[in-house]
Short mmCIF file of all heavy atoms in Angstrom, two decimals:
data_model
loop_
_atom_site.label_atom_id
_atom_site.label_comp_id
_atom_site.label_asym_id
_atom_site.label_seq_id
_atom_site.Cartn_x
_atom_site.Cartn_y
_atom_site.Cartn_z
N ILE A 1 -40.22 38.55 -64.85
CA ILE A 1 -40.81 37.32 -65.40
C ILE A 1 -41.50 36.52 -64.30
O ILE A 1 -42.61 36.01 -64.47
CB ILE A 1 -39.73 36.47 -66.09
CG1 ILE A 1 -39.21 37.20 -67.35
CG2 ILE A 1 -40.27 35.09 -66.46
CD1 ILE A 1 -38.02 36.52 -68.00
N ASN A 2 -40.82 36.40 -63.16
CA ASN A 2 -41.39 35.65 -62.04
C ASN A 2 -42.71 36.27 -61.58
O ASN A 2 -43.70 35.56 -61.37
CB ASN A 2 -40.39 35.64 -60.87
CG ASN A 2 -41.01 35.09 -59.60
OD1 ASN A 2 -41.30 33.91 -59.50
ND2 ASN A 2 -41.22 35.96 -58.62
N CYS A 3 -42.73 37.59 -61.44
CA CYS A 3 -43.96 38.27 -60.98
C CYS A 3 -45.08 38.14 -62.01
O CYS A 3 -46.25 38.03 -61.63
CB CYS A 3 -43.66 39.75 -60.68
SG CYS A 3 -42.71 39.99 -59.18
N PHE A 4 -44.72 38.16 -63.28
CA PHE A 4 -45.75 37.98 -64.32
C PHE A 4 -46.38 36.60 -64.23
O PHE A 4 -47.61 36.45 -64.29
CB PHE A 4 -45.14 38.20 -65.70
CG PHE A 4 -46.12 37.98 -66.83
CD1 PHE A 4 -47.09 38.93 -67.11
CD2 PHE A 4 -46.08 36.81 -67.58
CE1 PHE A 4 -48.01 38.72 -68.13
CE2 PHE A 4 -46.99 36.60 -68.61
CZ PHE A 4 -47.96 37.56 -68.88
N ILE A 5 -45.55 35.57 -64.07
CA ILE A 5 -46.06 34.20 -63.95
C ILE A 5 -46.93 34.07 -62.70
O ILE A 5 -48.02 33.48 -62.74
CB ILE A 5 -44.90 33.19 -63.91
CG1 ILE A 5 -44.16 33.18 -65.26
CG2 ILE A 5 -45.41 31.78 -63.58
CD1 ILE A 5 -42.88 32.38 -65.25
N MET A 6 -46.44 34.64 -61.58
CA MET A 6 -47.20 34.57 -60.33
C MET A 6 -48.51 35.34 -60.43
O MET A 6 -49.52 34.96 -59.85
CB MET A 6 -46.34 35.13 -59.19
CG MET A 6 -45.07 34.35 -58.91
SD MET A 6 -45.38 32.68 -58.31
CE MET A 6 -46.02 33.03 -56.69
N LEU A 7 -48.48 36.42 -61.19
CA LEU A 7 -49.69 37.23 -61.40
C LEU A 7 -50.75 36.42 -62.16
O LEU A 7 -51.92 36.41 -61.78
CB LEU A 7 -49.34 38.50 -62.17
CG LEU A 7 -50.47 39.44 -62.58
CD1 LEU A 7 -51.16 40.01 -61.35
CD2 LEU A 7 -49.94 40.57 -63.46
N VAL A 8 -50.32 35.73 -63.21
CA VAL A 8 -51.24 34.90 -64.00
C VAL A 8 -51.82 33.78 -63.13
O VAL A 8 -53.03 33.50 -63.16
CB VAL A 8 -50.52 34.30 -65.22
CG1 VAL A 8 -51.41 33.29 -65.93
CG2 VAL A 8 -50.11 35.42 -66.18
N LEU A 9 -50.98 33.14 -62.33
CA LEU A 9 -51.44 32.07 -61.45
C LEU A 9 -52.43 32.60 -60.41
O LEU A 9 -53.42 31.94 -60.08
CB LEU A 9 -50.25 31.40 -60.75
CG LEU A 9 -49.30 30.61 -61.65
CD1 LEU A 9 -48.10 30.13 -60.86
CD2 LEU A 9 -50.02 29.42 -62.27
N ALA A 10 -52.16 33.80 -59.90
CA ALA A 10 -53.06 34.40 -58.91
C ALA A 10 -54.42 34.70 -59.52
O ALA A 10 -55.45 34.56 -58.86
CB ALA A 10 -52.44 35.69 -58.36
N LEU A 11 -54.43 35.10 -60.78
CA LEU A 11 -55.70 35.37 -61.47
C LEU A 11 -56.53 34.09 -61.58
O LEU A 11 -57.76 34.11 -61.45
CB LEU A 11 -55.44 35.97 -62.85
CG LEU A 11 -54.90 37.41 -62.85
CD1 LEU A 11 -54.50 37.82 -64.26
CD2 LEU A 11 -55.94 38.38 -62.30
N PHE A 12 -55.87 32.96 -61.80
CA PHE A 12 -56.58 31.68 -61.88
C PHE A 12 -57.18 31.31 -60.53
O PHE A 12 -58.25 30.69 -60.47
CB PHE A 12 -55.64 30.57 -62.36
CG PHE A 12 -55.50 30.51 -63.85
CD1 PHE A 12 -54.31 30.86 -64.47
CD2 PHE A 12 -56.56 30.09 -64.65
CE1 PHE A 12 -54.17 30.81 -65.86
CE2 PHE A 12 -56.44 30.03 -66.03
CZ PHE A 12 -55.24 30.39 -66.64
N THR A 13 -56.51 31.70 -59.44
CA THR A 13 -57.03 31.35 -58.11
C THR A 13 -58.31 32.12 -57.78
O THR A 13 -59.03 31.74 -56.84
CB THR A 13 -55.99 31.64 -57.00
OG1 THR A 13 -55.72 33.05 -56.95
CG2 THR A 13 -54.71 30.87 -57.24
N LEU A 14 -58.61 33.16 -58.54
CA LEU A 14 -59.86 33.90 -58.32
C LEU A 14 -61.09 33.02 -58.61
O LEU A 14 -62.20 33.34 -58.20
CB LEU A 14 -59.90 35.15 -59.20
CG LEU A 14 -58.89 36.26 -58.86
CD1 LEU A 14 -58.94 37.36 -59.91
CD2 LEU A 14 -59.18 36.84 -57.48
N LEU A 15 -60.85 31.92 -59.32
CA LEU A 15 -61.94 30.99 -59.62
C LEU A 15 -62.32 30.15 -58.40
O LEU A 15 -63.36 29.49 -58.40
CB LEU A 15 -61.53 30.06 -60.77
CG LEU A 15 -61.22 30.75 -62.12
CD1 LEU A 15 -60.65 29.73 -63.10
CD2 LEU A 15 -62.47 31.42 -62.68
N ILE A 16 -61.47 30.15 -57.38
CA ILE A 16 -61.75 29.39 -56.15
C ILE A 16 -62.69 30.22 -55.27
O ILE A 16 -62.34 31.31 -54.82
CB ILE A 16 -60.44 29.09 -55.38
CG1 ILE A 16 -59.47 28.30 -56.27
CG2 ILE A 16 -60.75 28.32 -54.10
CD1 ILE A 16 -58.10 28.10 -55.66
N PRO A 17 -63.90 29.73 -55.01
CA PRO A 17 -64.89 30.55 -54.29
C PRO A 17 -64.59 30.75 -52.81
O PRO A 17 -64.89 31.80 -52.25
CB PRO A 17 -66.20 29.76 -54.47
CG PRO A 17 -65.77 28.35 -54.72
CD PRO A 17 -64.46 28.44 -55.44
N ASN A 18 -63.97 29.76 -52.17
CA ASN A 18 -63.70 29.85 -50.74
C ASN A 18 -62.44 30.69 -50.49
O ASN A 18 -61.36 30.36 -50.97
CB ASN A 18 -63.53 28.45 -50.15
CG ASN A 18 -63.37 28.46 -48.64
OD1 ASN A 18 -62.31 28.82 -48.13
ND2 ASN A 18 -64.42 28.08 -47.94
N GLN A 19 -62.59 31.78 -49.72
CA GLN A 19 -61.47 32.70 -49.51
C GLN A 19 -60.29 32.03 -48.81
O GLN A 19 -59.13 32.23 -49.21
CB GLN A 19 -61.92 33.91 -48.69
CG GLN A 19 -60.81 34.96 -48.54
CD GLN A 19 -61.16 36.04 -47.53
OE1 GLN A 19 -61.70 35.76 -46.46
NE2 GLN A 19 -60.85 37.28 -47.86
N LYS A 20 -60.55 31.24 -47.77
CA LYS A 20 -59.46 30.61 -47.02
C LYS A 20 -58.67 29.65 -47.90
O LYS A 20 -57.42 29.64 -47.86
CB LYS A 20 -60.02 29.88 -45.80
CG LYS A 20 -58.92 29.39 -44.86
CD LYS A 20 -59.50 28.85 -43.56
CE LYS A 20 -58.38 28.43 -42.62
NZ LYS A 20 -58.92 27.91 -41.33
N ILE A 21 -59.36 28.85 -48.70
CA ILE A 21 -58.67 27.92 -49.61
C ILE A 21 -57.88 28.71 -50.66
O ILE A 21 -56.74 28.36 -50.99
CB ILE A 21 -59.68 26.98 -50.30
CG1 ILE A 21 -60.36 26.08 -49.26
CG2 ILE A 21 -58.99 26.13 -51.37
CD1 ILE A 21 -61.45 25.21 -49.82
N ARG A 22 -58.48 29.79 -51.18
CA ARG A 22 -57.81 30.62 -52.18
C ARG A 22 -56.51 31.21 -51.61
O ARG A 22 -55.47 31.21 -52.28
CB ARG A 22 -58.75 31.74 -52.63
CG ARG A 22 -58.16 32.60 -53.74
CD ARG A 22 -59.22 33.47 -54.40
NE ARG A 22 -59.79 34.45 -53.48
CZ ARG A 22 -61.03 34.44 -53.03
NH1 ARG A 22 -61.87 33.48 -53.41
NH2 ARG A 22 -61.48 35.36 -52.20
N LEU A 23 -56.57 31.68 -50.37
CA LEU A 23 -55.38 32.26 -49.74
C LEU A 23 -54.32 31.20 -49.49
O LEU A 23 -53.12 31.46 -49.64
CB LEU A 23 -55.77 32.93 -48.42
CG LEU A 23 -56.64 34.20 -48.53
CD1 LEU A 23 -57.07 34.67 -47.15
CD2 LEU A 23 -55.89 35.31 -49.26
N LYS A 24 -54.73 29.99 -49.14
CA LYS A 24 -53.77 28.91 -48.90
C LYS A 24 -53.07 28.50 -50.19
O LYS A 24 -51.86 28.24 -50.21
CB LYS A 24 -54.48 27.70 -48.28
CG LYS A 24 -54.75 27.86 -46.80
CD LYS A 24 -55.29 26.56 -46.19
CE LYS A 24 -55.46 26.70 -44.69
NZ LYS A 24 -55.95 25.45 -44.06
#
């Protein structure tokens, strides 16, 4: 469950264009 939630959140971070900010 935790990994699924984290996976969904990570997919949303793909909308952040700057790689360094996305990684942070």
Side-chain angles (χ1 to χ4, degrees):
I1 293 173
N2 171 69
C3 287
F4 177 75
I5 294 171
M6 297 295 290
L7 176 64
V8 172
L9 293 174
L11 289 172
F12 277 110
T13 64
L14 293 174
L15 299 172
I16 302 173
N18 185 285
Q19 184 190 42
K20 189 172 183 179
I21 296 175
R22 184 166 64 248
L23 292 174
K24 281 187 176 181

